[in-house]
Amino acid sequence: MSPRKITVSTLKQMKAEGERFAVLTAYDASFAYQLEQNGVEVILVGDTLGMVIQGLDTTLPVSIDDVIYHTRAVRRGATSVLIMADMPFMSDATPELAVRNAGRLMKEGGAHIVKLEGGANQEEVVRRLSELGIPVCSHLGLQPQSVHKLGGYKVQGREASMAEQILSDAGRLVEAGADMLLLECVPRELAAQVTNSVSVPVIGIGAGPDTDAQVLVLYDMLGITPGHRPKFSHDFLAGSESIADAIQAYVESVKQGSFPDAEHSFK
Ligand code: KIV
């Protein structure tokens, strides 16, 4: 049986019905096929490709051409899932740049939705993309493209003022037209508050079990990323018989709400 076609509307309906969905990153056709066949609803062609594919220390050097190349490959492998492509560092620094680059991700890469990092500072960019019919996912909390400004990959929103800022940014971005939010590395309680305060689906990574969906970097989830793996990730291949089983185990745990548990969440 071929998998059902997933659109932004499907995911909004799932949120409305309280049904969780599963997201994983992928960067090539073969893994995209495996993800689609094993129940993942959204594939993120993340700028983490700089780290896990290109072996870089950060995502900053990733170019728009890199993301287009990998999005095209993913698109060839998966025909029914929603494909989300990342706007790389500085590709969305102004509304004009963002329109040009998001347009390329959709026209040349075949993306269905673009993801960009930033809070209220990116409100105008989100508004312009949305006005032009480009679906947007806004990435809040830990924004890895700002790693040098933040001084490292740290949990965001533990202090009341930062938590309020994230909550308020989430509302403003949805108001500006964001179709989805992604929250990275924030305390569980804050992620739950954001998820309950907006009508659009919220995808979490290191944000606890109360968001509408979860995402992991595929290679972290298969336990093959060299070096340090974040506390919030889990190796689903350990204890599974195949990659397909590991993907199914991840999807089931997300849908049942058993992943992430307290051990993979932040307070
Ligand atoms: O680039 C990426 O893979 C991401 C995830 C870490 C959410 O943004």
Side-chain angles (χ1 to χ4, degrees):
M1 206 172 66
S2 57
R4 68 178 169 152
K5 185 89 190 147
I6 306 291
T7 65
V8 170
S9 309
T10 316
L11 302 174
K12 287 182 177 169
Q13 187 65 30
M14 287 175 84
K15 171 166 180 137
E17 290 170 5
E19 193 186 335
R20 294 189 183 90
F21 60 91
V23 187
L24 281 172
T25 68
Y27 318 94
D28 65 57
S30 301
F31 271 124
Y33 177 82
Q34 287 300 325
L35 266 46
E36 177 164 282
Q37 292 302 314
N38 289 292
V40 165
E41 277 96 354
V42 182
I43 295 181
L44 169 62
V45 186
D47 60 2
T48 42
L49 71 87
M51 297 163 99
V52 299
I53 302 287
Q54 299 173 333
L56 299 165
D57 287 342
T58 71
T59 58
L60 273 62
V62 172
S63 71
I64 191 76
D65 289 322
D66 291 336
V67 183
I68 290 170
Y69 173 88
H70 288 281
T71 306
R72 289 167 86 161
V74 163
R75 188 69 200 273
R76 290 187 200 112
T79 52
S80 298
V81 295
L82 190 86
I83 298 176
M84 182 183 290
D86 248 344
M87 299 285 286
F89 182 55
M90 288 298 136
S91 67
D92 52 7
T94 65
E96 293 72 26
L97 262 178
V99 167
R100 186 172 335 130
N101 288 317
R104 288 194 64 201
L105 287 176
M106 297 185 83
K107 286 173 75 157
E108 297 172 42
H112 302 118
I113 180 168
V114 300
K115 173 166 83 58
L116 53 97
E117 295 185 12
N121 58 318
Q122 285 295 64
E123 204 174 339
E124 280 321 302
V125 167
V126 171
R127 193 180 307 282
R128 190 70 194 120
L129 294 176
S130 178
E131 281 168 357
L132 291 170
I134 298 178
V136 178
C137 175
S138 282
H139 183 148
L140 293 164
L142 173 62
Q143 295 165 34
Q145 292 171 8
S146 302
V147 60
H148 298 308
K149 179 98 174 156
L150 297 171
Y153 299 103
K154 300 173 184 165
V155 178
Q156 303 293 306
R158 278 191 166 134
E159 320 72 35
S161 60
M162 181 59 87
E164 275 164 34
Q165 180 74 57
I166 292 172
L167 198 52
S168 144
D169 285 1
R172 286 176 66 170
L173 289 162
V174 172
E175 187 65 32
D179 298 277
M180 258 183 257
L181 301 177
L182 185 146
L183 279 178
E184 178 163 355
C185 284
V186 299
R188 172 183 179 166
E189 203 182 313
L190 173 59
Q193 266 183 296
V194 172
T195 305
N196 293 332
S197 73
V198 294
S199 56
V200 302
V202 178
I203 304 167
I205 176 165
D210 306 307
T211 52
D212 303 304
Q214 299 292 332
V215 60
L216 284 179
V217 171
L218 177 65
Y219 299 168
D220 289 350
M221 171 271 186
L222 294 176
I224 58 170
T225 308
H228 170 77
R229 257 172 258 137
K231 161 188 158 83
F232 56 75
S233 79
H234 177 71
D235 177 355
F236 282 87
L237 189 55
S240 293
E241 300 215 327
S242 64
I243 287 176
D245 283 352
I247 298 166
Q248 283 172 26
Y250 168 72
V251 171
E252 268 162 42
S253 311
V254 168
K255 289 189 179 286
Q256 287 164 3
S258 56
F259 178 81
D261 55 13
E263 193 194 328
H264 298 93
S265 306
F266 298 107
K267 284 191 192 141

